Amino acid sequence: MARGDPGIGEEPAGIDDTALWRKLGRDPLVPAAIYAAARHHLVRPTLDAPATAEEIAGRCEVDPAVTRRLVELLTEEGFLEREAGHRYRATPLGRRLEDPAVRTEVCFWFEIHLPYVLRLDHSLRTGAASYDAVHGEAFYRHLDARPEYSVHVRGDLARGASEAERVLSAHCDLGAVRTVVDVGGNTGSLLAALLRRWPRLTGVLVDRPEATRAGTSLLEEAGLSTRARVLPGDILSDPLPAADAYLLSWVASEWADAALVGLLRNCRRSMAPESRLWILEPVIWEEPPSKRRRDLDLLIRATVGGHLRSERDFVELFAQAGLTLRRAIRTGEYVDVVEGGPDAAGRT
């Protein structure tokens, strides 16, 4: 590609859409070089002593000519510094690429995340998740077979669980709750956080077997296995245990409306008249939503085919499932709370 082609340097002849090309990313070679360096450990040979581009290529078993150019680019971007004799040494920034967590994050971004986001046009045309079209299977099933990236997702879930627990404990009365079912709770991070906060609480984690295996380990390591049990199953169809409260944390947004109504009905079938259902996730409070919620809504649609919802949406979906929306709480945090209970008429 010539240097003057779009995105590689100067604008195409006769076009002065500077803002457009800036938005598109003027130089995609930089992120591509960072990914290549992380994937092939290009910085590793320079951690302890300076190395030439040829020595780096030899140790990493990659092409020497391309390595030479990438090393020059990485030096320009601050990942390497050049020393005498055309030798290169890792900078503090470059050393970060050899941190296992950072390297996994970079590789996840380029190999898993970026490809389906770049195919947002698929979701635009079909309304379905672009993830499935790009990777050949659904998000969680795809990641279940890639434990190195499942760790990355579990980290995100743990961080989200911490906020969800804080919001739920601050805005809802858990003092009278004795048993809670974490429906679709994945690794059990939220359930564990709640059990630590509320000593009289017991809980059940329900999710697909691949997720609950990690949940069993997490609860055991936290010393909570005597107060919690793990129930592998299909949250859409398998009967749920009886409980005082049911949690759907970052779960409702993962489903299209019809499937979500089915999930809510499944919860409703196990609920006593006084049971509560708590949905924990961002709510669309106004149109247009904030940038953060708008972008999240697009990513959810592209990833799993679900979407964020408004309070009115929840009122309608709850009614279809035999539930009544009792309140929707605008918490001021990223995560909001939607609380429901069985329809007084007893409909399911």
Side-chain angles (χ1 to χ4, degrees):
M1 181 176 285
R3 184 68 180 174
D5 284 345
I8 302 296
E10 303 170 1
E11 276 83 81
I15 297 179
D16 190 24
D17 290 329
T18 305
L20 170 62
W21 296 115
R22 187 180 297 118
K23 294 283 188 186
L24 287 172
R26 292 293 303 275
D27 203 344
L29 284 174
V30 173
I34 294 170
Y35 165 64
R39 167 53 68 193
H40 295 284
H41 296 286
L42 292 188
V43 176
R44 181 177 290 176
T46 70
L47 294 177
D48 298 323
T52 65
E54 289 71 21
E55 289 169 341
I56 293 171
R59 295 177 196 176
C60 296
E61 300 182 343
V62 291
D63 182 80
V66 177
T67 300
R68 184 168 62 254
R69 296 300 183 227
L70 278 177
V71 163
E72 293 165 356
L73 190 157
L74 292 168
T75 301
E76 184 178 286
E77 296 298 326
F79 292 88
L80 297 169
E81 57 186 8
R82 184 172 174 174
E83 298 190 352
H86 299 284
R87 307 181 78 81
Y88 299 86
R89 182 188 294 274
T91 65
L93 180 62
R95 289 177 177 273
R96 295 290 292 154
L97 290 181
E98 287 302 315
D99 179 288
V102 173
R103 181 174 179 270
T104 298
E105 181 91 16
V106 170
C107 292
F108 176 87
W109 180 264
F110 278 87
E111 296 175 6
I112 303 295
H113 185 73
L114 193 59
Y116 80 87
V117 173
L118 290 175
R119 289 306 315 276
L120 188 59
D121 67 295
H122 175 84
S123 297
L124 177 64
R125 287 185 291 104
T126 67
S130 60
Y131 194 103
D132 304 37
V134 169
H135 292 297
E137 54 187 342
F139 177 71
Y140 287 110
R141 185 183 301 276
H142 186 242
L143 289 187
D144 283 340
R146 291 157 181 79
E148 72 277 19
Y149 293 142
S150 294
V151 170
H152 166 84
V153 174
R154 284 200 294 272
D156 286 345
L157 291 171
R159 288 186 288 273
S162 177
E163 181 181 16
E165 183 278 322
R166 186 179 70 251
V167 166
L168 183 63
S169 295
H171 293 276
C172 300
D173 179 17
L174 277 78
V177 175
R178 292 294 172 265
T179 304
V180 62
V181 177
D182 191 0
V183 183
N186 206 288
T187 61
S189 297
L190 174 58
L191 181 59
L194 286 169
L195 295 182
R196 284 192 290 264
R197 173 72 72 94
W198 301 90
R200 298 177 63 185
L201 190 64
T202 61
V204 183
L205 172 65
V206 183
D207 209 331
R208 65 194 194 287
E210 295 81 3
T212 53
R213 280 195 289 269
T216 299
S217 299
L218 185 148
L219 292 166
E220 288 177 351
E221 291 169 5
L224 298 168
S225 57
T226 59
R227 295 168 52 205
R229 62 190 178 100
V230 176
L231 186 63
D234 185 339
I235 63 174
L236 294 177
S237 59
D238 291 345
L240 299 174
D244 300 316
Y246 295 80
L247 302 177
L248 295 175
S249 179
W250 290 94
V251 172
S253 57
E254 295 191 343
W255 299 95
D257 288 351
L260 178 57
V261 169
L263 173 56
L264 294 174
R265 283 175 177 162
N266 198 32
C267 293
R268 172 65 184 87
R269 280 190 283 269
S270 298
M271 295 175 74
E274 65 277 7
S275 295
R276 283 166 279 184
L277 173 71
W278 285 314
I279 292 178
L280 305 170
E281 61 184 41
V283 172
I284 300 293
W285 295 106
E286 62 270 322
E287 289 289 351
S290 67
K291 177 183 185 302
R292 190 178 185 190
R293 295 185 186 219
R294 178 205 65 208
D295 291 354
L296 175 63
D297 188 49
L298 280 172
L299 283 174
I300 291 173
R301 292 174 188 273
T303 308
V304 292
H307 58 94
L308 297 182
R309 292 177 172 88
S310 67
E311 180 179 357
R312 182 178 181 83
D313 291 333
F314 282 115
V315 169
E316 294 174 355
L317 294 172
F318 274 32
Q320 293 177 46
L323 297 164
T324 298
L325 190 145
R326 294 176 178 170
R327 57 179 181 155
I329 306 170
R330 190 169 189 167
T331 65
E333 306 276 353
Y334 193 35
V335 173
D336 299 306
V337 181
V338 177
E339 181 178 305
D343 188 319
R347 294 171 295 183
T348 59

